[in-house]
Amino acid sequence: MNALAATNRNFRHAARILGLDSKVEKSLLIPFREIKVECTIPKDDGTLVSYVGFRVQHDNARGPMKGGIRYHPEVDPDEVNALAQLMTWKSAVADIPYGGAKGGIGCNPGDLSKSELERLTRVFTQKIHDLIGVHTDVPAPDMGTNAQTMAWILDEYSKFHGHSPAVVTGKPIDLGGSLGREAATGRGVVFATEALLAEHGKSIKGLTFAVQGFGNVGSWAAKIIHERGGKVVAVSDITGAVKNPNGIDIPELIRHKESTGSLKNFQGADSMDANELLVHECDVLIPCALGGVLNRSSIFLKIVPWFFSF
């Protein structure tokens, strides 16, 4: 089952519980607007390459639509549509005056230079600038994008509409970004973990953790867990995986990845098969990478007993 089918299934289940009218249910499943654009750029060597970009604007009933833009090879219309729908529900549950949207470009940012990423981002913005805006749709960083990406979007958008710092969130502090924004999602993961553990009379201190994904979310979550006395015993991302039963020095691992771009050859832990992380022995598993990693056909049945054992 792909991401959109799973999201629609979950929504229909919730709609039945809430007793939603069938017409309301159907209208909430249909996105407000789906955008698909071709982004052709010159590479640094002079050759041309083309990528497909998407922006799905799901619902604006509660306010301007809001959602991240991800750069990843697996970006496709169904994934973006599902994530846009989830943003609508997330905004509503959090009771903030936004709707839901999501975007992405099907590319591998690791294969592109900084100048190529800038050109790609600016071309994408040129194609959608008249469909986003402070009162319409506000992009944000997501997987494969960051504050620099948002700065490029802001700059390119401003060429058409004048200086508009509120057109994106997650931008650099110097351009009007929010203090704490970079750590916010990872910190939220820790808050949710603390709430779950508290229900079982436990706390982060003294427990062992495995973190799948060491990008913005996973690295901040691991860092804060480490600061609060938790023992992170395994970490993985697309570059590799490392483990240490005595606990990994997370600040040192972050410095290693920042300097090398990879988890490989980290001296403070042993390398391991990244596919084994999801079943690595720990008290708490924290998936911080792509969705859909926990499923019936792979390792879900192995993880559930651990998850509820404490």
Side-chain angles (χ1 to χ4, degrees), residues 38 44 91 107 126:
E38 194 79 19
D44 292 343
S91 296
C107 69
Q126 291 166 14

Side-chain angles (χ1 to χ4, degrees), residues 121-130 156 159-160:
T121 301
R122 290 184 181 277
V123 168
F124 182 55
T125 306
Q126 291 166 14
K127 298 292 182 77
I128 67 170
H129 76 88
D130 55 344
E156 195 65 29
K159 292 178 182 178
F160 297 94

Side-chain angles (χ1 to χ4, degrees), residues 13-300:
H13 181 61
R16 286 194 296 272
I17 294 173
L18 294 170
L20 289 185
D21 180 83
S22 61
K23 293 179 181 177
V24 174
E25 177 184 337
K26 185 173 183 179
S27 67
L28 289 174
L29 283 170
I30 300 172
F32 172 79
R33 182 186 287 129
E34 297 181 68
I35 305 155
K36 177 182 177 181
V37 295
E38 194 79 19
C39 301
T40 302
I41 62 166
K43 296 194 72 176
D44 292 343
D45 63 7
T47 61
L48 290 180
V49 62
S50 190
Y51 301 97
V52 179
F54 305 94
R55 187 70 177 172
V56 173
Q57 298 169 332
H58 179 258
D59 188 89
N60 62 357
R62 293 174 46 83
M65 293 166 283
K66 179 82 180 70
I69 292 177
R70 64 174 49 180
Y71 290 178
H72 193 273
E74 295 181 16
V75 167
D76 63 32
D78 282 350
E79 180 195 49
V80 177
N81 207 317
L83 293 170
Q85 188 181 142
L86 289 171
M87 284 300 301
T88 296
W89 315 141
K90 184 166 74 171
S91 296
V93 168
D95 196 24
I96 58 175
Y98 285 104
K102 206 75 175 185
I105 299 177
C107 69
N108 186 348
D111 292 341
L112 299 174
S113 69
K114 184 175 181 179
S115 60
E116 289 168 342
L117 285 170
E118 178 177 356
R119 289 194 288 274
L120 178 59
T121 301
R122 290 184 181 277
V123 168
F124 182 55
T125 306
Q126 291 166 14
K127 298 292 182 77
I128 67 170
H129 76 88
D130 55 344
L131 298 172
I132 62 174
V134 175
H135 302 293
T136 308
D137 179 7
V138 181
D142 200 273
M143 184 177 295
T145 58
N146 54 28
Q148 177 62 77
T149 316
M150 297 303 106
W152 290 329
I153 293 175
L154 165 57
D155 185 62
E156 195 65 29
Y157 180 86
S158 296
K159 292 178 182 178
F160 297 94
H161 303 277
H163 185 55
S164 306
V167 72
V168 292
T169 59
K171 52 192 170 287
I173 301 300
D174 291 346
L175 293 178
S178 300
L179 291 169
R181 169 61 180 83
E182 183 181 344
T185 310
R187 193 177 300 279
V189 168
V190 176
F191 289 162
T193 302
E194 288 180 320
L196 175 62
L197 292 174
E199 292 183 3
H200 296 269
K202 295 182 180 292
S203 65
I204 285 176
K205 187 174 183 179
L207 295 183
T208 58
F209 297 79
V211 180
Q212 187 222 17
F214 206 64
N216 179 263
V217 179
S219 62
W220 273 105
K223 181 176 184 291
I224 297 168
I225 287 169
H226 180 79
E227 291 171 351
R228 299 190 181 187
K231 187 185 294 185
V232 180
V233 296
V235 170
S236 72
D237 68 5
I238 58 172
T239 68
V242 294
K243 63 180 179 179
N244 185 336
N246 297 316
I248 298 170
D249 184 338
I250 296 301
E252 190 60 36
L253 181 60
I254 291 173
R255 285 190 287 270
H256 173 79
K257 186 175 179 184
E258 287 175 346
S259 63
T260 67
S262 171
L263 295 182
K264 293 179 179 178
N265 301 317
F266 176 60
Q267 298 302 308
D270 298 323
S271 63
M272 64 178 289
D273 184 344
N275 294 323
E276 296 296 318
L277 183 127
L278 292 175
V279 292
H280 189 75
E281 185 175 352
C282 62
D283 296 313
V284 182
L285 168 67
I286 302 183
C288 293
L290 287 173
V293 297
L294 306 183
N295 56 71
R296 188 186 302 274
S297 63
S298 57
I299 44 73
F300 184 69

